[in-house]
């Protein structure tokens, strides 16, 4: 029964991929040649790949340097810097983009796009790298230093190889997010596959042109996943026994302290102060044109309701998968678990496109309803729930259950009194992560929201697309306020030394 | 599988079912509520229909989106479409729905409220507003005598990187459909190829106006009312820009019509007909003329806003509103790489 449910969940997660594959077969080779092998697709490919490569490089440099400074150097206020380096995650990329472009309209270039998305995404590299730094035994570094290596050589030859997995994982996250990014790049007038699919969708609804572009985008995503696996390689960096790590002795920056502080401050200024300042400016400017409080309240209510429902659905769906992955280890369980990850690597625009078409054709009674929107959220954010539920199951030994059974407790009783209480923290954390992701989801919501349903993200989007920056600001502020707690949570987790 | 596993599974399915039921429940629609798919500007439609619900007791629910998106959506939805009434910003999209045979004939009395040139012969939809194509330009960047005589000139090499367009928007695509109807396929392809090289793509007409105002590009193809509306409000975005009307029956003087139609699949056809009749009647047309929308009224005998040059004076080319071919425009734009 659990297995059957887990299979259903995996099937749902893979639905968009299946749809794209089926549509490609449907269009046929001639159609694919006409729609894919054309100059426009080449242009988009060039735009998309140079932005992804550039952003990954910039994020890697920013993320690793900031993590080294915060974890291994003598820079003052390391705790504070750590929180500030994670804080940009509270500002959704499309809000950051709005903040910049509304102040500097000239940013609609490659360099502008690179700047804005890098500032939004570098914490994805910073977080795992900082956590890894914390987990590294400083003895290795001390030994290397004792053998005469400079700080730079220690970083390059000892630390960097051990950061490899975290760095690659972070970079993969950046790249996947970027391939899926719609709002930020549309606002910066930087066309990529995702924005082009949206334009096609607007012109033809779910026409073959949109679907084929989506096919190319999916191939790019899968290519990235494979590349990351290959690059990660088979080297192991674990060692036997935890050892007795000494506290880190920070590298003395000496005369470099001031430049290091200036660099960190500049990064925080660009990634945090500019967007928040811009929001404050537009809030003040928009206040004169009158803030529609009741619309804002209603939209916030709708958004919170959808997010709560999506969190419930996604965690419920994560339970069978997470349970099997631990309690019935094996190829099948791994395959089912990985399917949910694969499904969510597909960009939101593709998931939405697939669900629009499938719901019109196969389940017209579900078309344009909340369940379809929730299904999209579930597909997109399932891994967040699966990972946390799985970890919770991992930490609740089956022996409690067996003991309760031997004492005569019935299955529902054990579920209520043993299993669920043990899993509760994990379920709660997973639900919270999904909840927060839904609050700022834009792309899929734009395509799938039922008639009359407006969320914070779509209300913000329609106002800012009309260049009514003042009217858009309150929605952005609410989104940032709602995301802030998650950011604090993330930085705290890393503080405790939770390694990926 | 262990039995807690089974119980867990049961719990999950109950939770799932409960959530979807709860979600469905909120969608239950009451009687006497029309679903309107509207691609026209929200503010304009709301202003024109202000008082409709009060007068008739018929509630309205709007699905606002882009022209082509909604049109193609209705075609996909077919008979099952939840829409009762379709309002477009430009006529090519309502024509897509009409060609698919999904529109019901309108009451003759409704058709008569609007001049013949603002509705197709089929009588399945009717114009309720009109807008003129213009070239917006920045006098600081380009002098008046450098402006092109025809919109088709903008494909020339001297305009490289100097023309703002909103290629992804329905407005620009409607203008292309007029070029297609007036000049034929080959000339349109040639024009679009030139534009693909020459143009800077913006996300909306407002964005074009802002870019021209700030000197990013000297000229842009857009509709008249964006600039007039901005002037009427405060001129914040476009005060440094001016409008150039092509006139002379040039494709660039194309007047685009916003269409209204009733879906044949509507389960409330009478109410839907009433809505379209209301929209084209003198009262609503006058509201349009008085509103800040600054589009042209098309009701017989209704004068448009005073700020605007009279519609008849614009030298618009004669285009049969039923002849604009949106799907072919999309294909051509895909072909040259504008989409």
């Amino acid at each position: 029964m659990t297995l059957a449910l887990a299979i259903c969940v995996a099937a749902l997660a893979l639905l968009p991929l299946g749809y794209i594959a089926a549509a490609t077969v449907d269009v046929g080779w001639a159609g694919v040649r006409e729609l894919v092998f054309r100059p426009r697709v080449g242009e988009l490919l060039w735009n998309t790949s140079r932005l992804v490569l550039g952003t990954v490089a910039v994020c890697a440099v920013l993320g690793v340097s900031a993590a080294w400074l915060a974890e291994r150097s003598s820079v003052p206020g390391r705790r504070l810097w750590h929180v500030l380096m994670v804080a940009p995650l509270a500002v959704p990329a499309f809000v950051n983009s709005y903040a910049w472009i509304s102040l500097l309209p000239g940013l609609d270039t490659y360099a502008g796009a690179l700047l804005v998305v890098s500032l939004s995404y570098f914490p994805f590299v910073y977080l795992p790298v900082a956590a890894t730094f914390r987990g590294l035994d400083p003895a290795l570094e001390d030994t290397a230093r004792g053998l005469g290596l400079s700080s730079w050589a220690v970083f390059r030859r000892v630390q960097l190889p051990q950061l490899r997995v975290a760095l690659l994982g972070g970079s993969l996250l950046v790249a996947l997010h970027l391939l899926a990014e719609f709002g930020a790049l549309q606002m910066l007038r930087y066309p990529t596959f995702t924005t082009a699919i949206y334009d096609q969708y607007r012109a033809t609804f779910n026409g073959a042109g949109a679907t084929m572009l989506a096919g190319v985008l999916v191939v790019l995503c899968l290519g990235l996943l494979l590349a990351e696996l290959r690059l990660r390689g088979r080297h192991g960096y674990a060692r036997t026994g935890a050892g007795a790590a000494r506290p880190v002795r920070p590298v003395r920056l000496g005369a470099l302290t001031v430049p290091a502080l200036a660099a960190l401050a500049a990064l925080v200024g660009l990634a945090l102060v500019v967007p928040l300042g811009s929001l404050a400016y537009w809030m003040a400017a928009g206040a004169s044109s009158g803030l529609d409080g009741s619309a804002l309240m209603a939209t916030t209510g709708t958004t919170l309701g959808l997010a709560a429902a999506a969190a419930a659905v996604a965690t419920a769906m994560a339970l069978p998968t997470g349970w099997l992955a631990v309690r019935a280890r094996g190829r099948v369980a791994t395959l089912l678990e990985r399917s949910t990850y694969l499904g969510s690597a597909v960009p939101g625009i593709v998931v939405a496109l697939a669900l629009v078409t499938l719901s019109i054709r196969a389940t017209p009674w579900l078309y344009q309803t909340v369940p379809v929107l929730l299904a999209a959220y579930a597909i997109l954010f399932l891994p967040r729930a699966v990972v946390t539920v799985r970890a919770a199951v991992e930490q609740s030994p089956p022996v409690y259950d067996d003991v309760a059974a031997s004492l005569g407790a019935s299955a529902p009783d054990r579920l209520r009194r043993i299993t669920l209480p043990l899993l509760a923290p994990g379920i709660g954390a997973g639900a919270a992560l999904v909840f927060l992701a839904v609050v700022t989801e834009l792309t899929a919501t734009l395509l799938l929201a039922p008639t009359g349903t407006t969320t914070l993200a779509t209300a913000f989007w329609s106002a800012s697309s009309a260049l009514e920056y003042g009217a858009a600001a309150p929605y952005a502020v609410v989104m940032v306020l709602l995301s802030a707690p998650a950011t604090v949570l993330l930085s705290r987790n890393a503080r405790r030394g939770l390694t990926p | 599988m262990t039995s807690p596993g089974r119980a867990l599974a049961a719990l999950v399915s109950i939770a799932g079912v409960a959530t979807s039921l709860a979600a469905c429940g909120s969608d239950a629609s009451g009687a006497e509520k029309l679903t309107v798919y509207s691609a026209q500007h929200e503010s304009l439609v709301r202003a024109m229909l202000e008082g409709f619900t009060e007068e008739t007791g018929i509630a309205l629910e709007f699905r606002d989106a882009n022209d082509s998106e909604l049109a193609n959506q209705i075609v996909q939805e077919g008979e099952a479409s939840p829409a009762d009434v379709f309002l477009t910003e430009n006529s090519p999209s309502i024509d897509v729905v009409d060609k698919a045979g999904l529109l019901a004939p309108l009451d003759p009395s409704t058709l008569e409220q609007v001049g013949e040139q603002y509705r197709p012969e089929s009588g399945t939809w009717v114009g309720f507003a009109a807008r003129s194509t213009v070239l917006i330009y920045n006098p600081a960047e380009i002098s008046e005598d450098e402006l092109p005589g025809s919109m088709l000139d903008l494909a020339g090499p001297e305009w490289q990187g100097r023309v703002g367009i909103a290629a992804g928007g329905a407005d620009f695509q409607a203008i292309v459909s007029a070029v297609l109807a007036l000049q034929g396929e080959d000339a349109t392809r040639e024009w679009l190829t030139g534009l693909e090289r020459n143009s800077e793509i913006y996300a909306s007409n407002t964005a074009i106006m802002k870019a021209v105002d700030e000197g990013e590009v000297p000229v842009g193809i857009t509709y008249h009312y964006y600039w007039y509306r901005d002037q009427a409000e405060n001129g914040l975005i476009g005060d440094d820009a001016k409008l150039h009307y092509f006139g002379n029956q040039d494709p660039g003087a194309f007047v685009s019509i916003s269409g209204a139609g009733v879906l044949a699949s509507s389960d409330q056809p009478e109410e839907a007909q009433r809505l379209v009749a209301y929209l084209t009647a003198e009262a609503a047309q006058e509201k349009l003329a008085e509103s800040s929308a600054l589009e042209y009224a098309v009701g017989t005998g209704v004068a448009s806003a005073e700020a605007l040059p009279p519609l008849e004076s614009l030298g618009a080319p004669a285009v049969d509103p039923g002849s604009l071919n949106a799907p072919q425009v999309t294909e051509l734009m895909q072909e040259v790489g504008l989409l």
Side-chain angles (χ1 to χ4, degrees), chain A residues 399-418:
Chain A
V399 65
Y400 292 143
D401 204 59
D402 297 343
V403 170
S406 76
L407 292 173
S410 66
D413 222 26
R414 273 177 284 151
L415 177 67
R416 188 173 59 80
R417 294 178 56 195
I418 312 284

Side-chain angles (χ1 to χ4, degrees), chain A residues 9-18 172 176 217-226 229 334-348 350-351 378-384 386:
Chain A
V9 169
L12 177 69
L14 295 179
L15 205 58
L17 279 174
L172 178 70
L176 284 177
L217 183 57
V218 165
V219 170
L220 286 181
C221 291
L222 298 183
L224 272 176
L225 288 176
L226 284 180
L229 271 181
T334 309
L335 191 70
L336 290 174
E337 191 196 355
R338 295 285 156 82
S339 318
T340 64
Y341 299 161
L342 189 62
S344 79
V346 176
V350 181
V351 172
I379 293 172
L380 286 171
F381 304 129
L382 202 50
R384 293 164 202 246
V386 170

Side-chain angles (χ1 to χ4, degrees), chain A residues 75-132:
Chain A
V75 73
R78 280 161 42 192
R79 267 167 182 275
L80 178 67
W81 289 121
H82 175 69
V83 176
L84 289 176
M85 288 298 125
V86 184
L89 285 180
V91 183
F94 59 89
V95 171
N96 192 25
S97 170
Y98 146 92
W100 279 92
I101 195 87
S102 62
L103 296 182
L104 297 172
L107 275 182
D108 51 1
T109 58
Y110 171 71
L114 184 64
L115 170 81
V116 171
V117 290
S118 298
L119 290 174
S120 280
Y121 289 152
F122 83 87
F124 287 137
V125 175
Y126 172 85
L127 261 178
V129 170
T132 309

Side-chain angles (χ1 to χ4, degrees), chain A residues 269-362:
Chain A
L270 293 175
L272 211 57
V273 179
V274 170
L276 295 183
S278 172
L279 275 183
Y281 169 78
W282 287 113
M283 275 300 272
S288 55
S289 58
L291 172 66
D292 189 350
S294 66
L296 184 64
M297 288 296 286
T299 312
T300 308
T302 309
T303 310
L304 293 180
L306 279 175
V313 170
T315 32
M317 283 170 56
L319 280 174
T321 313
W323 180 270
L324 283 182
V326 178
R327 295 291 168 90
R329 280 180 211 277
R331 282 195 176 184
V332 178
T334 309
L335 191 70
L336 290 174
E337 191 196 355
R338 295 285 156 82
S339 318
T340 64
Y341 299 161
L342 189 62
S344 79
V346 176
I349 189 117
V350 181
V351 172
L353 203 59
L355 289 185
V356 165
T357 314
L358 290 172
S359 65
I360 284 189
R361 294 206 190 135

